[in-house]
Amino acid sequence: MISELPIAAPHTPLLDAIDQGAAMADLDSRQLQQLAQELREYLLYSVGQSGGHFGAGLGVVELTVALHHVFNTPDDRLVWDVGHQTYPHKILTGRMRQMHSIRQAGGLAGFPKRAESEYDTFGVGHSSTSISAAMGMALAARQQGIDRKVVAVIGDGAITGGMAFEALAHAGHERPDMLVILNDNQMSIGHNTGGLATYFAKIWATKTYLGMRERSKRFLEHFSFLWEWAKRTEEHMKGMVAPGTLFEELGFHYIGPLDGHDLPLLVRTLNNMKDLEGPQFLHIRTVKGKGFGPAEDDPVGYHAINKLEATPRKPQPAQPKRKGPKYQDVFGQWLCDMAAQDDKLVGITPAMCEGSGMVDFAARYPERYYDVAIAEQHAVTLAAGMACDGLKPVVAIYSTFLQRGYDQLIHDVALQNLDVTFGIDRAGLVGEDGPTHHGAFDLSYLRCIPNMVIAAPSDENECRQLLYTAYQHPGPAAVRYPRGTGPGAEIAQAMTALEIGKAVTELKGSRVAILNFGALLPAAREAAEQLGATLLDMRWVKPLDEAAVLEAAANHELLVTVEENVVAGGAGSAINELLNHEYPLSNAEGASHQAPAIINLGIPDAFIEHGSHSGLLTEAGLDTDGIIAAVNRRIAPRPADTSTVQPIKVATYETPHR
């Protein structure tokens, strides 16, 4: 077992040969074992050089080798769930020399991506999709008469998602020829261990047993009562020694659990199962972080790692560091403080305890903490049910994952005007995780829902106060905030309910007014200062501060809206709608009032690839230079009269005497 990541590239002759096109199917058992060792060593080295997802890939090294040895990929379809674990797959499929670029702008994606390789049969990033996608491929092969094997690999976390069980149930009905492999590294499915379970699992995976089973099935199907009796007997026998009864009842032939690090056993089992007809289910047990001691001991901490430096860096000029906590920690602290004040508060998360900053809350208030696993739809409707009967639920969820509970948000929460608060994390561009994880759409998909109140704080303190305000609102309310740290605003421990729908004027200038929504305020401020422009921190996307917007429109030639959300349907669109309503005849002859010109700055109408957060903002024109350039393209620049720029003191947050 390795305890330190290698700095120098390991010697990998077999892996080099595979990277240059050698066929994995031709390798014997000894060579496969050597290949797995080389693959694990190279994975440790490459992730140490690039950073990225770590523990999950180490846990599936043997499985990945076995799959590419037994199946004729890419003609046979291999579908990975979520995709954190696919670095070994990428290394074995012609991308070994590109691994240093993973998750960097212009480099390999951190998840499977169809445009990147023909071996990536399905693009992923959200969980619980693999069985549905693989089933679709299996049915497509059946309908077109193509002899093709289809395999879905899903983890014990992802299989908790409702979509996975919907697919399992449908597969049991349609009975496509496909194999589902459950990679169980947390023992969340069943708890049967020991020699008897392993012994029977090995028996059920042998050609002798499988052949006998298929011959008996063909004979007994002519006598339906005998077949049902034999099938039930087999299921009950398996149920005594293995956790497969559920999958058998859904219509799958279950084998397992097997040691997912026993490469010869995996190869034999896959060879025996690959030609079986109908839906098959293989349950393996693995260790996340296998082969690297610290990752085995701390699988959560080593889920992903940063790039390691081979040698100490030369001293660099001191750079100003962002101070203060991450936004997720601001939320977590607020949640604990709010829970101390209100015993009706409950916290809900769909398997994002650490990422959403809820670890302390879960420890301090375990009876009021609900982790519903990867089940976003259930999380939202669970909150709705709680709100119906007097609790005050707070749902902590990533922007990109709330998309999966959209129907429930509309029908179960907003339609009934229930008192549910949503802390929407990872809003905007998230950087290296790329388009599957960018929170680019939440303002657009939330703003169109009646009864919703939506806040977009510009710094850490405003985030805390707006969370408090949203919680006090007696209906559905959302506060969206970005990944990482903010500008370092001092956070007032006292909490004050702010006026809903009220903006704050940060600077007063002339000609141009910049209306900022959310965490891009520092860039907007710098642009406003250079342009001599007025700057409004809008705070609220819904309801808008219509009076402030109309005042800005009456006194400026150009309005510029700035948001880290898609332009289509976002906060800027709300401004457009308001001005269109107020100036319906602005272009007509004889109109008494002329509407100002308007620029909407935000994320363009495209899926934004992975890269650094700052780099992506620059590409989208959402940094200071981008804002200034957009203004100068629309309005003739003139020297800024800085004497007209008047900073406005932002209200302090003090708890009123009660």
Side-chain angles (χ1 to χ4, degrees), residues 550 553 575-596:
L550 295 177
I575 302 297
N576 299 349
E577 292 160 12
L578 174 61
L579 295 182
N580 187 58
H581 181 268
E582 293 296 323
Y583 295 88
L585 301 176
S586 61
N587 294 319
E589 184 177 349
S592 58
H593 300 287
Q594 181 65 41

Side-chain angles (χ1 to χ4, degrees), residues 363-375:
R364 290 170 58 180
Y365 301 98
E367 73 286 355
R368 294 157 67 183
Y369 167 72
Y370 298 90
D371 185 339
V372 302
I374 302 173

Side-chain angles (χ1 to χ4, degrees), residues 431-447:
E432 290 80 359
D433 281 342
T436 59
H437 283 62
H438 292 322
F441 309 107
D442 56 83
L443 292 185
S444 301
Y445 69 65
L446 290 172
R447 196 175 68 79

Side-chain angles (χ1 to χ4, degrees), residues 127-276:
S127 81
S128 312
T129 62
S130 61
I131 303 175
S132 297
M135 181 180 172
M137 295 174 187
L139 292 175
R142 184 169 76 183
Q143 184 165 325
Q144 298 173 79
I146 300 172
D147 183 15
R148 172 182 294 146
K149 314 301 179 188
V150 181
V151 182
V153 181
I154 188 168
D156 58 332
I159 206 168
T160 64
M163 183 177 176
F165 279 92
E166 291 172 11
L168 288 169
H170 189 209
H173 172 72
E174 293 288 346
R175 303 203 59 76
D177 295 338
M178 63 182 292
L179 170 62
V180 174
I181 300 177
L182 172 60
N183 174 35
D184 179 1
N185 56 30
Q186 293 292 328
M187 294 191 186
S188 64
I189 304 292
H191 194 66
N192 295 45
T193 59
L196 187 61
T198 302
Y199 173 71
F200 275 105
K202 289 180 179 180
I203 289 178
W204 295 328
T206 62
K207 282 186 178 293
T208 301
Y209 174 80
L210 293 172
M212 181 179 69
R213 184 182 189 274
E214 290 302 307
R215 288 191 297 273
S216 300
K217 175 182 175 182
R218 285 193 293 270
F219 173 75
L220 292 174
E221 278 181 336
H222 295 293
F223 307 95
S224 58
F225 70 96
L226 288 175
W227 167 241
E228 286 300 320
W229 174 82
K231 182 180 177 184
R232 292 292 178 183
T233 300
E234 180 190 46
E235 289 174 0
H236 289 303
M237 176 185 172
K238 287 183 176 181
M240 289 189 294
V241 293
T245 304
L246 170 64
F247 304 109
E248 294 277 354
E249 291 290 342
L250 288 170
F252 281 75
H253 172 222
Y254 172 91
I255 290 176
L258 299 178
D259 180 358
H261 300 296
D262 187 336
L263 184 53
L265 176 60
L266 285 177
V267 170
R268 288 197 305 273
T269 303
L270 292 173
N271 270 318
N272 293 341
M273 297 184 74
K274 71 175 183 178
D275 292 321
L276 295 178

Side-chain angles (χ1 to χ4, degrees), residues 443 514-517 520 523-524 527 531 558-568 570-573 576 598-604 617 620-634:
L443 292 185
I514 299 175
L515 282 58
N516 174 79
F517 294 87
L520 296 176
L531 292 165
L558 175 66
L559 301 187
V560 182
T561 66
V562 180
E563 62 188 303
E564 202 170 341
N565 186 84
V566 291
V567 172
S573 291
N576 299 349
I598 186 165
I599 300 173
N600 299 137
L601 298 181
I603 299 172
L617 289 179
L622 294 175
D623 60 356
T624 298
D625 291 342
I627 297 171
I628 293 172
V631 171
N632 287 338
R633 284 193 297 269
R634 181 63 66 90

Side-chain angles (χ1 to χ4, degrees), residues 8-24:
H11 181 57
T12 53
L14 269 179
L15 193 56
D16 290 339
I18 297 300
D19 188 55
Q20 294 166 18
M24 286 186 60

